[in-house]
Amino acid sequence: MVNILAFEIGKVSFGIETMYVKTVIKRPDWINTEHFPNSTDGIVEHNGQKIVVLNFSDRKLNKDLWKDFIVVLFKNSEYILPTEETIDIFQISEKDIAPIPLYAERNLSKNLFKGVFPIDDKLILILDVSKFLN
């Protein structure tokens, strides 16, 4: 079994394994949002540390749009994933994670996702943290 924190960006639902989630915060202190590559949106300060804000979607930074910020811990480093909304934590079996549908592969960076699982009327894309952050 694996625990997945589901969240939304735009009308797309994503998930991240909770083993990588340190906490979810609201409104961090922004330090810088200019001159960053496409995969980052800036730097925030949280608990006295400067942390890079990641962006794996095509949404441009809009500080008013982001409501929740997931603090991700990977290889002893912290990163921030901005979200429009966190949905819930779901416990699912590895066998319930399906491959990304062929029609969706064209519009996604397939190597960033482990697969998908359905919850109610949503299809949750599970972020592969190790591929995204390596």
Side-chain angles (χ1 to χ4, degrees):
M1 298 299 270
V2 63
N3 292 318
I4 303 290
L5 172 64
F7 59 94
E8 289 186 348
I9 298 175
K11 299 204 184 287
V12 181
S13 299
F14 298 96
I16 182 172
E17 291 178 69
T18 58
M19 65 186 245
Y20 296 111
V21 177
K22 182 173 180 181
T23 189
V24 177
I25 60 174
K26 306 278 186 191
R27 304 283 179 209
D29 295 324
W30 288 88
I31 296 172
N32 191 349
T33 59
E34 297 179 17
H35 310 296
F36 286 91
N38 290 340
S39 62
T40 59
D41 274 338
I43 295 176
V44 299
E45 187 168 339
H46 174 66
N47 286 343
Q49 294 182 356
K50 294 177 181 168
I51 306 174
V52 172
V53 179
L54 303 172
N55 183 355
F56 64 89
S57 75
D58 60 357
R59 304 287 301 249
K60 292 296 180 195
L61 176 66
N62 179 343
K63 291 181 198 172
D64 297 325
L65 178 70
W66 306 126
K67 292 184 177 85
D68 296 327
F69 296 79
I70 300 170
V71 180
V72 177
L73 183 61
F74 182 72
K75 292 187 177 180
N76 296 321
S77 294
E78 292 182 5
Y79 305 89
I80 300 273
L81 281 177
T83 72
E84 290 180 24
E85 180 180 6
T86 52
I87 300 170
D88 205 348
I89 295 176
F90 300 96
Q91 187 176 51
I92 60 172
S93 171
E94 292 278 348
K95 67 178 177 63
D96 292 332
I97 299 174
I100 295 173
L102 291 175
Y103 69 87
E105 284 184 15
R106 285 177 248 136
N107 298 322
L108 297 171
S109 297
K110 182 182 175 189
N111 61 338
L112 295 183
F113 301 98
K114 286 186 171 186
V116 298
F117 73 96
I119 294 292
D120 299 325
D121 63 341
K122 298 177 189 273
L123 206 60
I124 310 290
L125 288 159
I126 301 172
L127 180 66
D128 189 329
V129 173
S130 64
K131 287 182 182 175
F132 181 61
L133 294 176
N134 273 332

